[in-house]
Amino acid sequence: MIENNELYLQTLGQNAKQASYGLASLTGTQKKALLSAIAASLTAKSQAILAANQKDVAAARENGLSEAMIDRLLLDDARLKGVISDIDNVISLNDPVGTELESQLLDNGLRLSRRRVPLGVIGVIYEARPNVTVDIAVLALKTGNAVILRGGKETLNSNMALSEAIREAITEQGLAADSVQLIKSPDRTLVSGLLKLDQFVDMIVPRGGQNLQRLCAEQATIPVILGGIGICHLYMDKDANIAKSIEVIANAKVQRPTVCNALDTVLIHDSLAETALPQLFSNLSAQGVSFYGCEQTKAIADKLGLAISTATDETYGQEWLSLTLGIKVVADIDTAIGHIRRYSSGHSEGILTDNIHASAHFINQVDSAAVYVNASTRFTDGGQFGLGAEVAVSTQKLHARGPMGLEALTTYKWIGLGEYTVRG
Amino acid sequence: MIENNELYLQTLGQNAKQASYGLASLTGTQKKALLSAIAASLTAKSQAILAANQKDVAAARENGLSEAMIDRLLLDDARLKGVISDIDNVISLNDPVGTELESQLLDNGLRLSRRRVPLGVIGVIYEARPNVTVDIAVLALKTGNAVILRGGKETLNSNMALSEAIREAITEQGLAADSVQLIKSPDRTLVSGLLKLDQFVDMIVPRGGQNLQRLCAEQATIPVILGGIGICHLYMDKDANIAKSIEVIANAKVQRPTVCNALDTVLIHDSLAETALPQLFSNLSAQGVSFYGCEQTKAIADKLGLAISTATDETYGQEWLSLTLGIKVVADIDTAIGHIRRYSSGHSEGILTDNIHASAHFINQVDSAAVYVNASTRFTDGGQFGLGAEVAVSTQKLHARGPMGLEALTTYKWIGLGEYTVRG
C-alpha cells in the first residue's frame, strides 16, 4: 500500500471511531428521526442519484459488462423508491441497543449487568449493488454504529451520490457526517488496508464471492463474518415420501436458483433411487434443470434416454447459482452425512423423511447454520426467519450464525455498580 | 512450515474434527462420567505426572529460568490435587449445550428454533502453566468440543503426561482419544500452521502476552478470541469521596498486581489533586507501590519530598503487572474518557463518584468489556461474575466479551421442521 493510501485509511478509521462515540448514546427516537431524514434526503436527491447511476451504467456498457451484471447495478426510479421505502421497514424494527441482557446482585456486593451496546465501527465490502450502500448504512445507524463502505468499482458514481445524500441528512440531524464513509478510490490495495485497520474497525462483513471471503480470512486482523456461500444439500431418506420430497427439491432448486440458499446437491437413499430418480428427472427437466450424477444416477438416466454429466469431486464442491443439480445415490444416512461434512459450506442442509429417528440423527450430526427436516433450503433468509432485516448470512460459528439481524451489529458490555466496593 | 509439520497438523485437525462429531451428541450424564473418569485417571497417574514435571523443572533450572517462572510451571502434589479437584467444580456446572434459545412457528408454516451446540474444535495456545492443559481440556469436553492444545515448550513433559492421562480416560469411556490432542513438538512454525487450520478448527484462544495475541490476529485464518491484556483505569471524579476512592484504588492496584484486571493508571480530577494525591501517595507507598506521574502529579509529589518517575505516552500504554501505577491529573471527565479511549486495552475501567450524571456518562462513553462505578477493576473475573469457570477474558467485541464462561465454547444452529414445506 502506498503511503497516501495508508494515511487516507487512518483518517477514515479515526473519523469513524470518533463518530461512533456520538452514535452510541442516541435514543431510539433520535435514530428513527435520523433514518427518516435519510429517506427524505435520498428522495430529494433522486435525480442526481439516478444521473450518477446512468454514468455507471454507461461505463459498464462501454467496458462490455454482461447484461446480468448491468441489471444488477442499475438503479431506476422504481428501484430507488423501493430502496427508500425499505428504510421505513428498518425504522419500525425493534432497536436492540440498551437492552439489559441480565442483571444480578453478586455475593460480593456488586450489582452486575450485561447491556447490549453498538459494536462501534463496521467495515463492509460488497459488489456492484448500489442498494447495499443504503441498506447497510441504515442498518448500521439503526444500531448506533459508524460504517466504512467499500462498494464495487462499477458503481462508484452511484455510491458517491447515495452516500453524499446520506451524509447530508446525518449532518442536518446534528451528527457527524463521518458516521457513514465511503472509500472513494477503486484502488484494490485499499481493501487490504481496510482489513488491517484493527485500531478503529470492530468488524468486517464481506458480502461477495469465494475470492473475497478468502482474501478477508487471510488478510484481516479484524474479526470477519464469513458467509454467503451456500453449497446446500437435501438428503432423501429411505423413509421419505417420494412425491412430496420431489416438490421440496424442486422448490429448493428452481424457485430462485441464483441465491446462496438454493439447492446444489440431492443425496438419495439407494432403496429409493430406481423409483424416485425418474420422477425427479421428469419434474426438474421440465423446469430447465440439468444434472451432474454419480455412476448409479447416470445408469438410471441412461435407461430413460437422458444424458447427464458425470459428477466429480470438483462438481460436488461447487455452488451452482444456476439451474444445475448434483445427484448422488448413497447407501445409508451416515454416508449422506459424510458427504455433507465433506462438501458443505455450512449454510443449509435438509433431510426428507417420515422417520423420527433419522430426523433426530441428521439434526444432531449435520453441523450447518440451518438444518431442515422436510423443508426447502430456501427458507434460510432473514426475512423468512422473522429477523426483519438481513445484514448477511454467516457460515461461521462465532458471534452470529446463519441469517444475521440487527443483534449481530451489537455486542455487550458488563456494568458493575458498587458502593466503593473492593474485592476481598 | 516444512512438509512434515503440515502433514502432522492436517492429521491433528482431521482427527479432532472426527472426534468432535462423537462428542456433539453426548448427554450431560455421559459428559459428567467422562470428566469423573479424567479426574480418576489423573489421580491414578499422579506419580508419573509429578515425575514428568520434575524433568521440566530441572531443565528450567538448567536453562536459567527465573524462580518466578519456575514457580509458575511447578506441579507439586498439593497443586495437582487442586487441579484435579477443580474438575469436580466443572462437573457440577450447568451444561449449556442443547438449550433451545428460541422456538417459533413461522407464518410460512415452518417450526423454527435455535439450539445451542458445541463449537466443534477449539485450538488453545498457552504459556508454561501445566494446569491450563487440564482446565481447558475439561471445559472443552464439558461443552462437547474437541481441543488441540499447544502449551509452552518449558512444560512439554508435564503436558504430555497430563494429556496422556486424559486421553486414557476418554478411551475408557468409549470415546475418541483424539478429542484431546497435544502438539508434541516445540517447533514454533507449528503455531503459525495451527492458526491456518481453518478447515478443521473453529476457534483459537491464545492465552498469553501481547506478542502472542498480535501473532494470532495477524496470522490466523480462524476466528481468534483476543484478550487477557488489561491496561485498566480508575477515574476519580470531582464528586468522588476521596477516602473511599483511595481504598478502591489500593485494592485494584495492590490486591494482586500481577494479573490482567489489576489497575494501571489513576486519572484524577484537577479539583481533587492537591487534597487526594498526598493521601494516595501515603497509602500506596506504604504498600510498596511506585509511581509514574504527569507534571502536575510530580509537582505535588515533589512538595512531599517523594521522587516519582515521569509518565510518557509509552508508560501510559503499558500493562504494569507489578506494583507500579501511572497517575494523571485531568481537567474534566471528558478528558479522562479521552485518555481511556487512547490508552485502554478495552478490559476494565471505572469511575469513582457520588454524581449520578457523571456515572451514567462514563458508563455510556467508555467502550470496555467491563465498566465500573465505585468498584475495583479486580472484579473482572469469571469466578467473581458467577460464571463458574473462566476460559479466558476477551477484550474484543465479537462472540464473547469480558470473562468467558462455558457458553463462549458453544454456538447455535437454526433448526427448521416442516411437513414437506416449500417457500412460496
Side-chain angles (χ1 to χ4, degrees), chain A residues 17-18 21-22 24-25 102 104 106 108 110 112 114-115 117-121 196 198 202-203 214 217-226 239-242 244-245 247-249 251 255-256 261 341 352-354 359 362-376 378-381 384-387 396-403 407 410-424, chain B residues 17-18 21-22 24-25 102 104 106 108 110 112 114-115 117-121 196 198 202-203 214 217-226 239-242 244-245 247-249 251 255-256 261 341 352-354 359 362-376 378-381 384-387 396-403 407 410-424:
Chain A
K17 187 54 98 181
Q18 195 57 42
Y21 298 135
S25 49
E102 56 191 280
Q104 54 183 320
L106 300 177
N108 54 34
L110 204 65
L112 183 72
R114 210 150 56 94
R115 186 183 295 178
V117 297
L119 270 173
V121 178
K196 296 187 193 307
D198 52 55
D202 297 292
M203 179 169 85
R214 199 64 216 160
E218 281 173 3
Q219 298 204 356
T221 58
I222 305 168
V224 177
I225 299 289
L226 298 179
D239 294 321
N241 178 309
I242 292 177
K244 291 180 183 172
S245 293
E247 291 305 314
V248 174
I249 290 168
N251 179 264
Q255 201 224 13
R256 199 166 168 206
N261 58 21
R341 285 178 181 162
L352 302 161
T353 188
D354 292 338
S359 152
F362 190 87
I363 291 172
N364 283 334
Q365 290 293 307
V366 170
D367 185 27
S368 291
V371 183
Y372 295 99
V373 177
N374 299 331
S376 170
R378 288 276 296 117
F379 284 113
T380 309
D381 174 290
Q384 293 291 320
F385 278 15
L387 300 180
Q396 46 114 64
K397 298 183 187 174
L398 270 71
H399 188 63
R401 198 175 192 194
E407 274 188 15
T410 68
T411 180
Y412 54 83
K413 65 170 76 155
W414 296 89
I415 297 170
L417 306 181
E419 296 281 352
Y420 297 97
T421 308
V422 299
R423 179 163 170 184
Chain B
K17 187 53 99 181
Q18 195 57 43
Y21 298 134
S25 49
E102 55 190 282
Q104 54 183 322
L106 299 177
N108 54 33
L110 204 65
L112 183 72
R114 212 151 53 96
R115 185 183 296 179
V117 296
L119 271 172
V121 178
K196 295 187 194 307
D198 51 55
D202 297 292
M203 178 168 87
R214 200 64 217 160
E218 282 172 3
Q219 299 205 355
T221 59
I222 305 167
V224 178
I225 299 289
L226 299 179
D239 294 321
N241 178 309
I242 293 176
K244 291 180 183 173
S245 294
E247 291 305 313
V248 174
I249 290 168
N251 178 264
Q255 200 224 12
R256 199 167 167 206
N261 58 20
R341 284 178 181 163
L352 302 160
T353 188
D354 292 338
S359 153
F362 189 88
I363 290 172
N364 283 333
Q365 290 293 309
V366 170
D367 185 26
S368 292
V371 183
Y372 294 98
V373 177
N374 299 331
S376 170
R378 288 277 296 118
F379 284 113
T380 308
D381 174 290
Q384 293 290 319
F385 278 16
L387 300 180
Q396 47 115 65
K397 297 182 188 175
L398 270 70
H399 187 64
R401 197 174 193 196
E407 275 188 15
T410 69
T411 180
Y412 54 83
K413 63 170 79 157
W414 297 88
I415 297 170
L417 306 181
E419 296 282 351
Y420 296 97
T421 308
V422 300
R423 180 162 170 185

Side-chain angles (χ1 to χ4, degrees), chain A residues 180-197:
Chain A
V180 174
Q181 294 180 98
L182 177 75
I183 295 184
K184 289 185 186 166
S185 154
D187 185 343
R188 284 180 61 92
T189 63
L190 288 165
V191 173
S192 306
L194 174 61
L195 295 176
K196 296 187 193 307
L197 219 54

Side-chain angles (χ1 to χ4, degrees), chain B residues 253-267:
Chain B
K253 181 69 258 178
V254 174
Q255 200 224 12
R256 199 167 167 206
T258 57
V259 293
C260 61
N261 58 20
L263 179 64
D264 294 285
T265 303
V266 165
L267 304 165

Side-chain angles (χ1 to χ4, degrees), chain A residues 153-179:
Chain A
K153 65 177 187 303
E154 302 83 359
T155 47
L156 189 54
N157 290 301
S158 312
N159 290 340
M160 287 206 282
L162 289 164
S163 63
E164 270 321 304
I166 293 169
R167 287 164 59 92
E168 283 181 31
I170 296 172
T171 308
E172 253 173 48
Q173 295 289 307
L175 295 165
D178 289 340
S179 300

Side-chain angles (χ1 to χ4, degrees), chain A residues 89 238 246 252 256 262 292 298 309 328 330 382 388 390 392 406 422:
Chain A
N89 177 34
K238 69 177 165 48
I246 290 173
R256 199 166 168 206
Y292 283 76
K298 286 191 66 162
S309 311
K328 186 178 183 182
V330 293
E390 183 174 283
L406 289 178
V422 299

